[in-house]
Amino acid sequence: VVIDNKTGYVVGCVGGLGEKETSRGFNRATQAKRQTGSAIKPLAILAPGIDKKIFTASTTFVDEETDFNDGSDEPYHPTNYDGYLGEITVRRAVESSQNIPFVKMMEEITPKTSIKYLKKMGISTLTDKDENLALALGGLDIGMSPLETAAAYATIANDGKYIEPTFFTKIETSEGKTVLKSKQKKKNVFSKETAYIIKELLTEPVNGTYGTATYCKMKNMDVAAKTGTTNENYDRWLCGFTPYYSAATWFGFDINETINFNKRNPAGLIWSSIMDDIHEGLEGKRFEKPNKVISCTICKKSGKKATKYCIDTYEEYYLKGTEPTECTY
């Protein structure tokens, strides 16, 4: 599903591979409900956590094997796909999609708050069973459709404003009389300052050394993206946006099968190919930083405000009132 960020219009939608054999058949892009894996992290965790100033991009969490008390008889014991990194910033956790820090973030946000934000971004398939820590990693009772997922990502791209995805503007008779007009629901979910920080964070999987979506880069165009993979490689996702369009791609089977694709993400390859095509000839654009977003030089080791003694540093962005304390290393 491809959506125009500013209008909410669906400009591309493909609901299956192969030749079309039936009319009005099952459309996976709009009707399938699938587990999202890590593709949910920007929506369920980054959006509420940054908006409520619970953490910033430079807040550190310890990435290590952890048992979580989730109110059930057995502790919740998620794992990482590629090992553990120790104390890392939120930004680094986003880059290579480390799971443990995101579950720790969910503990601080609470699943209840996370669900409120997801619903405001148009996710309609959540149930009471989703109010648990597994929500952080996309472990959902029913799942999410590519259409609703794309619209939720478009909320970030559209500076925090949700627009209901729409397939038509109006229907007219042959005489030009309007018989039906689309009415889009619109809602401000979070500020443009919050949206910018999430956008900037989501460039890490694309541009970072350890990024999981480096194949999504475009020349002279900012790209934000997040991958998603479920257990046994049953579901593969790539969700993201540019200043022009948002898109969500899911790749999998109706009856679950493990996806082996030369150690690559087929959803990501489809996303990249289509987005490259539709951006051809468009003017290069960057994500615009709002004036109220504060920047600060950060020590990579501590995640704190850098001093003259800090060797490895980078520029980080903050909402007013969330600036870090000074590094003490």
Side-chain angles (χ1 to χ4, degrees):
V1 178
V2 184
I3 294 176
D4 185 312
N5 295 334
K6 298 301 180 186
T7 65
Y9 296 159
V10 177
V11 296
C13 180
V14 177
L17 297 177
E19 286 188 28
K20 182 178 179 181
E21 297 177 348
T22 59
S23 295
R24 299 178 64 81
F26 184 65
N27 187 317
R28 291 162 190 81
T30 61
Q31 295 172 290
K33 311 297 188 297
R34 304 294 305 196
Q35 303 299 303
T36 63
S38 292
I40 203 172
K41 290 173 179 175
L43 312 174
I45 299 175
L46 296 182
I50 291 171
D51 188 50
K52 287 187 166 293
K53 301 182 180 181
I54 295 170
F55 54 76
T56 71
S58 65
T59 302
T60 58
F61 291 87
V62 179
D63 181 28
E64 63 184 7
E65 279 203 57
T66 306
D67 283 334
F68 294 90
N69 180 6
D70 203 16
S72 56
D73 295 336
E74 294 292 324
Y76 177 47
H77 188 84
T79 57
N80 288 339
Y81 285 102
D82 294 311
Y84 302 90
L85 303 177
E87 187 174 8
I88 57 171
T89 62
V90 170
R91 177 175 292 277
R92 179 64 182 83
V94 171
E95 182 181 354
S96 57
S97 200
Q98 303 300 115
N99 285 336
I100 307 304
F102 277 97
V103 181
K104 291 182 176 180
M105 291 178 227
M106 180 62 82
E107 274 192 314
E108 296 192 14
I109 296 164
T110 75
K112 188 173 185 177
T113 298
S114 179
I115 286 171
K116 285 180 181 178
Y117 274 78
L118 288 167
K119 287 182 175 179
K120 287 179 182 178
M121 286 184 269
I123 306 302
S124 66
T125 49
L126 300 168
T127 73
D128 291 342
K129 292 180 181 179
D130 291 320
E131 199 172 311
N132 58 64
L133 294 181
L135 175 65
L137 307 182
L140 301 168
D141 180 29
I142 295 174
M144 287 162 47
S145 71
L147 175 64
E148 290 192 351
T149 305
Y153 269 80
T155 303
I156 304 170
N158 193 36
D159 295 333
K161 185 174 184 178
Y162 169 78
I163 305 176
E164 185 179 16
T166 306
F167 286 81
F168 70 97
T169 54
K170 61 182 178 179
I171 298 171
E172 295 180 340
T173 65
S174 57
E175 289 80 29
K177 182 182 177 182
T178 300
V179 294
L180 189 63
K181 207 170 185 179
S182 68
K183 294 180 181 178
Q184 291 173 292
K185 294 177 184 175
K186 298 181 181 181
K187 185 179 294 183
N188 290 319
V189 182
F190 41 81
S191 69
K192 63 182 179 181
E193 288 78 18
T194 294
Y196 175 76
I197 291 172
I198 302 169
K199 291 177 192 179
E200 213 275 329
L201 266 174
L202 290 179
T203 63
E204 287 298 323
V206 179
N207 300 322
T209 305
Y210 306 99
T212 56
T214 54
Y215 44 77
C216 293
K217 287 180 185 176
M218 293 185 196
K219 190 176 180 181
N220 299 322
M221 191 78 65
D222 271 350
V223 178
K226 186 71 193 73
T227 54
T229 306
T230 60
N231 291 344
E232 309 297 331
N233 276 2
Y234 286 156
D235 303 270
R236 302 301 302 269
W237 290 80
L238 196 292
C239 306
F241 51 83
T242 69
Y244 291 99
Y245 298 109
S246 295
T249 304
W250 168 81
F251 189 98
F253 296 89
D254 293 334
I255 300 173
N256 285 337
E257 291 184 32
T258 295
I259 298 163
N260 293 307
F261 200 80
N262 298 325
K263 296 184 178 179
R264 305 180 79 184
N265 180 357
L269 300 178
I270 293 169
W271 191 98
S272 178
S273 177
I274 289 170
M275 292 290 266
D276 277 345
D277 283 351
I278 64 177
H279 284 80
E280 190 174 343
L282 294 178
E283 180 185 352
K285 269 191 178 183
R286 303 296 180 191
F287 299 135
E288 293 183 17
K289 181 171 81 69
N291 292 332
K292 291 182 180 179
V293 171
I294 301 165
S295 64
C296 182
T297 304
I298 294 301
C299 170
K300 271 191 178 180
K301 184 177 180 183
S302 68
K304 303 291 186 182
K305 186 176 180 180
T307 69
K308 62 182 180 180
Y309 303 106
C310 297
I311 300 170
D312 203 357
T313 64
Y314 66 97
E315 200 72 8
E316 190 61 275
Y317 302 95
Y318 299 89
L319 302 177
K320 189 175 180 182
T322 62
E323 305 96 311
T325 56
E326 202 166 84
C327 179
T328 55
Y329 275 112

